[in-house]
PDB file of all heavy atoms in Angstrom:
ATOM      1  N   GLY A 140     -19.484   8.527  13.311  1.00  0.00           N
ATOM      2  CA  GLY A 140     -19.984   9.848  12.884  1.00  0.00           C
ATOM      3  C   GLY A 140     -18.903  10.899  13.046  1.00  0.00           C
ATOM      4  O   GLY A 140     -18.462  11.541  12.097  1.00  0.00           O
ATOM      5  N   ILE A 141     -18.486  11.101  14.336  1.00  0.00           N
ATOM      6  CA  ILE A 141     -17.339  11.998  14.559  1.00  0.00           C
ATOM      7  C   ILE A 141     -16.222  11.206  15.199  1.00  0.00           C
ATOM      8  O   ILE A 141     -16.427  10.206  15.862  1.00  0.00           O
ATOM      9  CB  ILE A 141     -17.752  13.234  15.399  1.00  0.00           C
ATOM     10  CG1 ILE A 141     -18.332  12.812  16.744  1.00  0.00           C
ATOM     11  CG2 ILE A 141     -18.680  14.174  14.670  1.00  0.00           C
ATOM     12  CD1 ILE A 141     -18.315  13.902  17.761  1.00  0.00           C
ATOM     13  N   CYS A 142     -15.031  11.771  15.024  1.00  0.00           N
ATOM     14  CA  CYS A 142     -13.825  11.061  15.471  1.00  0.00           C
ATOM     15  C   CYS A 142     -13.701  11.125  16.990  1.00  0.00           C
ATOM     16  O   CYS A 142     -13.684  12.210  17.579  1.00  0.00           O
ATOM     17  CB  CYS A 142     -12.603  11.752  14.842  1.00  0.00           C
ATOM     18  SG  CYS A 142     -11.042  11.127  15.397  1.00  0.00           S
ATOM     19  N   PRO A 143     -13.634   9.923  17.645  1.00  0.00           N
ATOM     20  CA  PRO A 143     -13.529   9.935  19.121  1.00  0.00           C
ATOM     21  C   PRO A 143     -12.229  10.599  19.591  1.00  0.00           C
ATOM     22  O   PRO A 143     -12.146  11.054  20.716  1.00  0.00           O
ATOM     23  CB  PRO A 143     -13.477   8.418  19.444  1.00  0.00           C
ATOM     24  CG  PRO A 143     -14.003   7.719  18.273  1.00  0.00           C
ATOM     25  CD  PRO A 143     -13.668   8.584  17.087  1.00  0.00           C
ATOM     26  N   GLN A 144     -11.247  10.717  18.707  1.00  0.00           N
ATOM     27  CA  GLN A 144      -9.951  11.279  19.088  1.00  0.00           C
ATOM     28  C   GLN A 144      -9.928  12.812  19.046  1.00  0.00           C
ATOM     29  O   GLN A 144      -9.500  13.447  19.981  1.00  0.00           O
ATOM     30  CB  GLN A 144      -8.909  10.762  18.061  1.00  0.00           C
ATOM     31  CG  GLN A 144      -7.487  10.805  18.491  1.00  0.00           C
ATOM     32  CD  GLN A 144      -7.161   9.634  19.417  1.00  0.00           C
ATOM     33  OE1 GLN A 144      -7.881   8.640  19.391  1.00  0.00           O
ATOM     34  NE2 GLN A 144      -6.113   9.780  20.203  1.00  0.00           N
ATOM     35  N   CYS A 145     -10.479  13.391  17.918  1.00  0.00           N
ATOM     36  CA  CYS A 145     -10.322  14.829  17.756  1.00  0.00           C
ATOM     37  C   CYS A 145     -11.655  15.523  17.416  1.00  0.00           C
ATOM     38  O   CYS A 145     -11.674  16.765  17.282  1.00  0.00           O
ATOM     39  CB  CYS A 145      -9.280  15.138  16.663  1.00  0.00           C
ATOM     40  SG  CYS A 145      -9.900  14.819  15.004  1.00  0.00           S
ATOM     41  N   GLY A 146     -12.728  14.799  17.287  1.00  0.00           N
ATOM     42  CA  GLY A 146     -14.029  15.413  16.983  1.00  0.00           C
ATOM     43  C   GLY A 146     -14.238  15.753  15.497  1.00  0.00           C
ATOM     44  O   GLY A 146     -15.269  16.310  15.122  1.00  0.00           O
ATOM     45  N   GLY A 147     -13.254  15.382  14.619  1.00  0.00           N
ATOM     46  CA  GLY A 147     -13.443  15.651  13.179  1.00  0.00           C
ATOM     47  C   GLY A 147     -14.501  14.702  12.577  1.00  0.00           C
ATOM     48  O   GLY A 147     -14.896  13.706  13.221  1.00  0.00           O
ATOM     49  N   MET A 148     -14.926  15.048  11.367  1.00  0.00           N
ATOM     50  CA  MET A 148     -15.952  14.212  10.689  1.00  0.00           C
ATOM     51  C   MET A 148     -15.325  12.904  10.193  1.00  0.00           C
ATOM     52  O   MET A 148     -14.254  12.936   9.586  1.00  0.00           O
ATOM     53  CB  MET A 148     -16.480  14.967   9.465  1.00  0.00           C
ATOM     54  CG  MET A 148     -17.461  16.040   9.770  1.00  0.00           C
ATOM     55  SD  MET A 148     -19.104  15.383   9.813  1.00  0.00           S
ATOM     56  CE  MET A 148     -19.365  15.079   8.059  1.00  0.00           C
ATOM     57  N   LEU A 149     -16.048  11.815  10.356  1.00  0.00           N
ATOM     58  CA  LEU A 149     -15.583  10.552   9.762  1.00  0.00           C
ATOM     59  C   LEU A 149     -16.216  10.384   8.389  1.00  0.00           C
ATOM     60  O   LEU A 149     -17.364  10.711   8.198  1.00  0.00           O
ATOM     61  CB  LEU A 149     -15.984   9.352  10.606  1.00  0.00           C
ATOM     62  CG  LEU A 149     -15.384   9.208  12.008  1.00  0.00           C
ATOM     63  CD1 LEU A 149     -15.689   7.877  12.609  1.00  0.00           C
ATOM     64  CD2 LEU A 149     -13.880   9.475  12.028  1.00  0.00           C
ATOM     65  N   GLU A 150     -15.430   9.911   7.436  1.00  0.00           N
ATOM     66  CA  GLU A 150     -15.954   9.715   6.077  1.00  0.00           C
ATOM     67  C   GLU A 150     -15.362   8.425   5.486  1.00  0.00           C
ATOM     68  O   GLU A 150     -14.305   7.962   5.931  1.00  0.00           O
ATOM     69  CB  GLU A 150     -15.672  10.911   5.195  1.00  0.00           C
ATOM     70  CG  GLU A 150     -14.188  11.169   5.028  1.00  0.00           C
ATOM     71  CD  GLU A 150     -13.884  12.344   4.100  1.00  0.00           C
ATOM     72  OE1 GLU A 150     -14.780  13.099   3.732  1.00  0.00           O
ATOM     73  OE2 GLU A 150     -12.660  12.453   3.737  1.00  0.00           O
ATOM     74  N   ARG A 151     -16.070   7.930   4.470  1.00  0.00           N
ATOM     75  CA  ARG A 151     -15.517   6.753   3.695  1.00  0.00           C
ATOM     76  C   ARG A 151     -14.671   7.285   2.582  1.00  0.00           C
ATOM     77  O   ARG A 151     -14.979   8.327   2.013  1.00  0.00           O
ATOM     78  CB  ARG A 151     -16.642   5.933   3.151  1.00  0.00           C
ATOM     79  CG  ARG A 151     -17.448   5.223   4.177  1.00  0.00           C
ATOM     80  CD  ARG A 151     -18.489   4.385   3.520  1.00  0.00           C
ATOM     81  NE  ARG A 151     -17.958   3.089   3.093  1.00  0.00           N
ATOM     82  CZ  ARG A 151     -18.652   2.155   2.508  1.00  0.00           C
ATOM     83  NH1 ARG A 151     -19.930   2.326   2.264  1.00  0.00           N
ATOM     84  NH2 ARG A 151     -18.106   1.029   2.176  1.00  0.00           N
ATOM     85  N   ARG A 152     -13.627   6.529   2.250  1.00  0.00           N
ATOM     86  CA  ARG A 152     -12.873   6.934   1.091  1.00  0.00           C
ATOM     87  C   ARG A 152     -13.741   6.716  -0.146  1.00  0.00           C
ATOM     88  O   ARG A 152     -14.556   5.792  -0.208  1.00  0.00           O
ATOM     89  CB  ARG A 152     -11.610   6.014   0.962  1.00  0.00           C
ATOM     90  CG  ARG A 152     -10.343   6.726   1.372  1.00  0.00           C
ATOM     91  CD  ARG A 152      -9.210   5.813   1.497  1.00  0.00           C
ATOM     92  NE  ARG A 152      -8.892   5.017   0.299  1.00  0.00           N
ATOM     93  CZ  ARG A 152      -7.847   4.223   0.214  1.00  0.00           C
ATOM     94  NH1 ARG A 152      -7.001   4.108   1.218  1.00  0.00           N
ATOM     95  NH2 ARG A 152      -7.625   3.517  -0.874  1.00  0.00           N
ATOM     96  N   GLN A 153     -13.598   7.641  -1.111  1.00  0.00           N
ATOM     97  CA  GLN A 153     -14.431   7.555  -2.322  1.00  0.00           C
ATOM     98  C   GLN A 153     -14.318   6.223  -3.027  1.00  0.00           C
ATOM     99  O   GLN A 153     -15.296   5.723  -3.584  1.00  0.00           O
ATOM    100  CB  GLN A 153     -14.005   8.675  -3.274  1.00  0.00           C
ATOM    101  CG  GLN A 153     -15.085   9.044  -4.249  1.00  0.00           C
ATOM    102  CD  GLN A 153     -14.974  10.505  -4.686  1.00  0.00           C
ATOM    103  OE1 GLN A 153     -14.256  11.281  -4.046  1.00  0.00           O
ATOM    104  NE2 GLN A 153     -15.693  10.858  -5.703  1.00  0.00           N
ATOM    105  N   ASP A 154     -13.117   5.577  -2.942  1.00  0.00           N
ATOM    106  CA  ASP A 154     -12.931   4.292  -3.641  1.00  0.00           C
ATOM    107  C   ASP A 154     -13.321   3.108  -2.755  1.00  0.00           C
ATOM    108  O   ASP A 154     -13.050   1.985  -3.106  1.00  0.00           O
ATOM    109  CB  ASP A 154     -11.507   4.144  -4.191  1.00  0.00           C
ATOM    110  CG  ASP A 154     -10.420   4.285  -3.115  1.00  0.00           C
ATOM    111  OD1 ASP A 154     -10.766   4.606  -2.000  1.00  0.00           O
ATOM    112  OD2 ASP A 154      -9.238   4.015  -3.450  1.00  0.00           O
ATOM    113  N   ASP A 155     -13.951   3.364  -1.617  1.00  0.00           N
ATOM    114  CA  ASP A 155     -14.429   2.276  -0.773  1.00  0.00           C
ATOM    115  C   ASP A 155     -15.898   1.980  -0.978  1.00  0.00           C
ATOM    116  O   ASP A 155     -16.566   1.326  -0.141  1.00  0.00           O
ATOM    117  CB  ASP A 155     -14.133   2.566   0.732  1.00  0.00           C
ATOM    118  CG  ASP A 155     -12.684   2.244   1.098  1.00  0.00           C
ATOM    119  OD1 ASP A 155     -12.010   1.586   0.296  1.00  0.00           O
ATOM    120  OD2 ASP A 155     -12.271   2.642   2.195  1.00  0.00           O
ATOM    121  N   GLU A 156     -16.491   2.436  -2.057  1.00  0.00           N
ATOM    122  CA  GLU A 156     -17.865   2.043  -2.444  1.00  0.00           C
ATOM    123  C   GLU A 156     -17.814   0.607  -2.925  1.00  0.00           C
ATOM    124  O   GLU A 156     -16.826   0.234  -3.570  1.00  0.00           O
ATOM    125  CB  GLU A 156     -18.411   2.981  -3.525  1.00  0.00           C
ATOM    126  CG  GLU A 156     -18.630   4.411  -3.094  1.00  0.00           C
ATOM    127  CD  GLU A 156     -19.503   4.522  -1.873  1.00  0.00           C
ATOM    128  OE1 GLU A 156     -20.505   3.774  -1.771  1.00  0.00           O
ATOM    129  OE2 GLU A 156     -19.211   5.358  -0.989  1.00  0.00           O
ATOM    130  N   PRO A 157     -18.871  -0.201  -2.661  1.00  0.00           N
ATOM    131  CA  PRO A 157     -18.791  -1.628  -3.010  1.00  0.00           C
ATOM    132  C   PRO A 157     -18.363  -1.950  -4.446  1.00  0.00           C
ATOM    133  O   PRO A 157     -17.488  -2.801  -4.630  1.00  0.00           O
ATOM    134  CB  PRO A 157     -20.246  -2.137  -2.733  1.00  0.00           C
ATOM    135  CG  PRO A 157     -20.771  -1.175  -1.716  1.00  0.00           C
ATOM    136  CD  PRO A 157     -20.102   0.153  -1.979  1.00  0.00           C
ATOM    137  N   SER A 158     -18.911  -1.257  -5.446  1.00  0.00           N
ATOM    138  CA  SER A 158     -18.567  -1.609  -6.831  1.00  0.00           C
ATOM    139  C   SER A 158     -17.083  -1.221  -7.094  1.00  0.00           C
ATOM    140  O   SER A 158     -16.387  -1.925  -7.862  1.00  0.00           O
ATOM    141  CB  SER A 158     -19.467  -0.956  -7.843  1.00  0.00           C
ATOM    142  OG  SER A 158     -19.380   0.454  -7.706  1.00  0.00           O
ATOM    143  N   THR A 159     -16.628  -0.137  -6.502  1.00  0.00           N
ATOM    144  CA  THR A 159     -15.238   0.261  -6.711  1.00  0.00           C
ATOM    145  C   THR A 159     -14.264  -0.683  -5.983  1.00  0.00           C
ATOM    146  O   THR A 159     -13.170  -0.988  -6.486  1.00  0.00           O
ATOM    147  CB  THR A 159     -15.020   1.744  -6.232  1.00  0.00           C
ATOM    148  OG1 THR A 159     -16.136   2.509  -6.640  1.00  0.00           O
ATOM    149  CG2 THR A 159     -13.751   2.332  -6.809  1.00  0.00           C
ATOM    150  N   ILE A 160     -14.669  -1.169  -4.841  1.00  0.00           N
ATOM    151  CA  ILE A 160     -13.811  -2.158  -4.127  1.00  0.00           C
ATOM    152  C   ILE A 160     -13.639  -3.370  -5.000  1.00  0.00           C
ATOM    153  O   ILE A 160     -12.526  -3.871  -5.187  1.00  0.00           O
ATOM    154  CB  ILE A 160     -14.486  -2.560  -2.760  1.00  0.00           C
ATOM    155  CG1 ILE A 160     -14.491  -1.379  -1.782  1.00  0.00           C
ATOM    156  CG2 ILE A 160     -13.709  -3.749  -2.152  1.00  0.00           C
ATOM    157  CD1 ILE A 160     -15.285  -1.673  -0.484  1.00  0.00           C
TER     158      ILE A 160
END
Side-chain angles (χ1 to χ4, degrees):
I141 58 162
C142 175
Q144 201 79 19
C145 74
M148 283 271 288
L149 295 191
E150 61 178 11
R151 291 183 83 178
R152 256 170 56 176
Q153 202 150 347
D154 57 353
D155 279 348
E156 293 306 320
S158 61
T159 319
I160 293 173

